[in-house]
């Protein structure tokens, strides 16, 4: 399945600069339906209210981490099959294991470029 560039993408990060970087990378990949949330709680509200085909979330956020957000999404009947890509600065094995156990679709370690992002999105979209 090809990537649907019209998919609504929710990007979640408590760091505004990172949101801007991810938004710009997505724009390079022709994804223009991008919404932002600055914490897990806001992200959950938007996900429950909207129709998103992809979540790209940072791991390290306060007060609700990306992992907590992922668990909430996977526990929600309406959202549980939404592709979820986790972004982290740390590639610690236990993090990867925890994210996998919680049902993450894919994983990106910072820093990354548009090409890496495209590959990861293609992978998760293919399995959606």
């Amino acid at each position: 399945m090809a990537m649907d560039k019209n998919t609504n993408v929710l990007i979640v990060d408590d760091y505004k600069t990172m949101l801007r970087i991810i938004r710009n990378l997505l724009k390079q990949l022709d994804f223009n339906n991008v919404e932002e949330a600055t914490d897990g709680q806001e992200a959950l509200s938007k996900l429950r209210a909207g129709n998103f085909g992809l979540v790209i979330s940072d791991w390290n956020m306060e007060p609700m981490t990306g992992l907590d957000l992922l668990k909430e999404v996977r526990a929600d009947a309406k959202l549980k099959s939404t592709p979820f890509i986790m972004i982290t600065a740390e590639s610690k094995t236990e993090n990867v294991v925890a994210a996998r156990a919680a049902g993450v679709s894919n994983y990106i370690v910072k820093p990354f470029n548009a090409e890496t992002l495209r590959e990861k999105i293609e992978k998760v979209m293919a399995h959606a």
Side-chain angles (χ1 to χ4, degrees), residues 37-58:
T38 51
D39 64 63
Q41 235 15 89
E42 184 191 354
L44 261 185
S45 309
K46 287 191 171 185
L47 284 166
R48 288 181 173 141
N51 180 19
F52 290 93
L54 176 64
V55 180
I56 300 175
S57 174
D58 189 44

Side-chain angles (χ1 to χ4, degrees), residues 8-25:
N8 291 325
V9 182
L10 181 66
I11 53 178
V12 193
D13 201 311
D14 54 3
Y15 190 48
K16 287 269 198 287
T17 307
M18 200 60 212
L19 285 173
R20 201 164 56 238
I21 291 167
I22 299 168
R23 182 185 279 277
N24 286 339
L25 291 174

Side-chain angles (χ1 to χ4, degrees), residues 74 83 128:
R74 291 294 178 248

Side-chain angles (χ1 to χ4, degrees), residues 27-119:
K27 207 183 185 89
Q28 287 173 38
L29 302 173
D30 296 320
F31 283 91
N32 293 305
N33 300 333
V34 179
E35 275 202 51
E36 301 176 357
T38 51
D39 64 63
Q41 235 15 89
E42 184 191 354
L44 261 185
S45 309
K46 287 191 171 185
L47 284 166
R48 288 181 173 141
N51 180 19
F52 290 93
L54 176 64
V55 180
I56 300 175
S57 174
D58 189 44
W59 182 299
N60 297 310
M61 296 185 293
E62 295 292 332
M64 187 183 202
T65 66
L67 187 63
D68 291 336
L69 173 61
L70 172 62
K71 287 174 178 170
E72 289 282 342
V73 167
R74 291 294 178 248
D76 186 308
K78 187 178 146 235
L79 303 174
K80 68 171 187 271
S81 59
T82 308
F84 194 113
I85 296 177
M86 187 84 76
I87 294 176
T88 178
E90 303 169 39
S91 52
K92 280 199 246 143
T93 316
E94 62 266 28
N95 283 12
V96 179
V97 170
R100 286 250 182 266
V104 79
S105 308
N106 219 315
Y107 205 85
I108 301 180
V109 180
K110 294 177 196 171
F112 59 94
N113 57 20
E115 187 51 35
T116 304
L117 189 60
R118 187 183 60 76
E119 281 170 19

